[in-house]
Amino acid sequence: NFQSAVVFPNKISTEQQSLMLVKRLLAVAVSCITYLRGIFPESAYGTRYMDDVSVKILREDKNCPGSTQLVKWMLGCYDALQKKYFLLSPLFTLKIQVYTHPEDPQTVTECYHFKFKYTHNGPLLDFSSKNKRNDSTITCADTKKASVLLIRKIYVLMQNLSPLPNDVFLTMKLFYYDEVTPSDYQPPGFKEGECEGMIFEGEPMYLNVGEVPTPFHMLKVKVTTEKQRMENVDKSILKHGETNVPLQVLRVDRDDPEENQDM
């Protein structure tokens, strides 16, 4: 159920438990971003708890076809994540693109990226160096801490960004490796995409918001926005380059090397 609360088990001992948590976290992250960016009205959200943090969760609202459509797309994405052959795809990316001209969805004004990595031999932690562990065992406490931190960072960033234009449109795209996916499979609600590029309306700014490791998966969240929307952002929350990043800041990338991989 898309509306469920996020419950952290005492131990994440199976891939299925990990996937369940990652899917819940994805629902919270997408809901928080769309809520804080004012994309849907208040009525399109319910309130749930993640540990003791109150979060907004999108719901199917008969008065808001857009939120109902986004929930359906998310459920299609869940279907894809649940398929065993996606475990063979080293990277699976969900992108929500925001655009302003209905006839030109390729020209984007903001984009939210959610990247999933399946880590077969225990995850690779790339938090700041003081958090790196030699034994690479991720405890549930690590996952919980990273999850709460990710949502807090989303809140901080979204509350600092200048608002989106009044009328915006959304599209959702899934990227995965074709060679490991049956050619006849399309996630429910999706059709085969043309891998056309994305044109940014203004000068793009790439922000690494955060990541959450579990013993089986890694979820990374990035936001690309127009540089002018960053004018009011408190500079103390930004960090440029690959330096050791304090946990409360967002890293700014010049560009996104992973975007250029063939998918």
Side-chain angles (χ1 to χ4, degrees):
N1 175 10
F2 192 79
Q3 276 268 300
S4 302
V6 181
V7 179
F8 294 95
N10 291 329
K11 190 169 193 288
I12 302 168
S13 47
T14 67
E15 206 169 86
Q16 195 52 44
Q17 273 183 315
S18 171
L19 190 57
M20 181 72 77
L21 195 56
V22 165
K23 283 169 19 180
R24 294 266 180 281
L25 196 54
L26 177 64
V28 171
V30 168
S31 299
C32 284
I33 288 172
T34 56
Y35 179 77
L36 292 164
R37 295 309 273 141
I39 291 173
F40 300 117
E42 186 83 36
S43 62
Y45 297 87
T47 302
R48 290 289 180 275
Y49 283 85
M50 187 177 89
D51 200 26
D52 52 358
V53 181
S54 169
V55 291
K56 295 289 184 184
I57 294 277
L58 264 170
R59 59 180 169 203
E60 295 188 54
D61 173 8
K62 62 180 187 301
N63 299 319
C64 182
S67 70
T68 301
Q69 181 62 65
L70 186 53
V71 169
K72 287 194 165 83
W73 285 343
M74 294 292 293
L75 295 173
C77 173
Y78 282 6
D79 187 84
L81 285 169
Q82 201 64 55
K83 296 281 185 250
K84 205 65 186 164
Y85 35 79
F86 280 103
L87 295 175
L88 303 168
S89 185
L91 193 65
F92 176 93
T93 303
L94 159 69
K95 284 188 191 177
I96 297 176
Q97 296 177 353
V98 183
Y99 58 103
T100 52
H101 303 293
E103 69 291 341
D104 181 18
Q106 294 318 112
T107 303
V108 174
T109 187
E110 203 156 274
C111 184
Y112 316 118
H113 315 243
F114 305 88
K115 300 187 179 199
F116 305 86
K117 282 185 178 171
Y118 294 95
T119 51
H120 298 287
N121 310 316
L124 319 156
L125 258 182
D126 55 358
F127 281 110
S128 62
S129 56
K130 69 173 187 290
N131 268 39
K132 281 207 172 99
R133 294 229 177 91
N134 298 331
D135 59 2
S136 84
T137 51
I138 302 293
T139 66
C140 195
D142 297 328
T143 300
K144 189 164 148 182
K145 185 177 171 190
S147 301
V148 171
L149 183 67
L150 173 68
I151 299 308
R152 288 204 171 124
K153 284 166 79 170
I154 287 173
Y155 266 82
V156 168
L157 173 63
M158 297 297 147
Q159 287 170 332
N160 270 273
L161 287 181
S162 302
L164 286 167
N166 282 339
D167 290 319
V168 294
F169 303 86
L170 297 185
T171 183
M172 184 184 285
K173 297 185 179 184
L174 302 178
F175 295 81
Y176 46 83
Y177 290 86
D178 271 344
E179 59 268 26
V180 295
T181 312
S183 56
D184 59 352
Y185 173 74
Q186 297 298 337
F190 288 82
K191 61 180 185 186
E192 187 159 356
E194 307 295 317
C195 205
E196 67 280 269
M198 177 173 81
I199 304 155
F200 225 79
E201 258 183 36
E203 188 185 341
M205 189 95 163
Y206 302 92
L207 299 164
N208 272 309
V209 183
E211 54 198 50
V212 177
T214 80
F216 300 91
H217 300 95
M218 172 78 88
L219 170 64
K220 294 188 176 194
V221 179
K222 300 184 175 196
V223 170
T224 310
T225 189
E226 290 189 31
K227 193 174 183 181
Q228 65 194 39
R229 276 190 207 117
M230 301 282 296
E231 283 169 1
N232 303 323
V233 171
D234 178 354
K235 297 296 178 279
S236 69
I237 67 168
L238 298 178
K239 194 89 173 175
H240 289 263
E242 288 284 351
T243 51
N244 289 347
V245 181
L247 287 180
Q248 69 276 17
V249 304
L250 305 161
R251 204 175 75 223
V252 180
D253 287 344
R254 277 196 199 83
D255 56 13
D256 194 342
E258 282 180 32
E259 295 302 295
N260 305 325
Q261 293 179 352
D262 294 329
M263 293 176 100

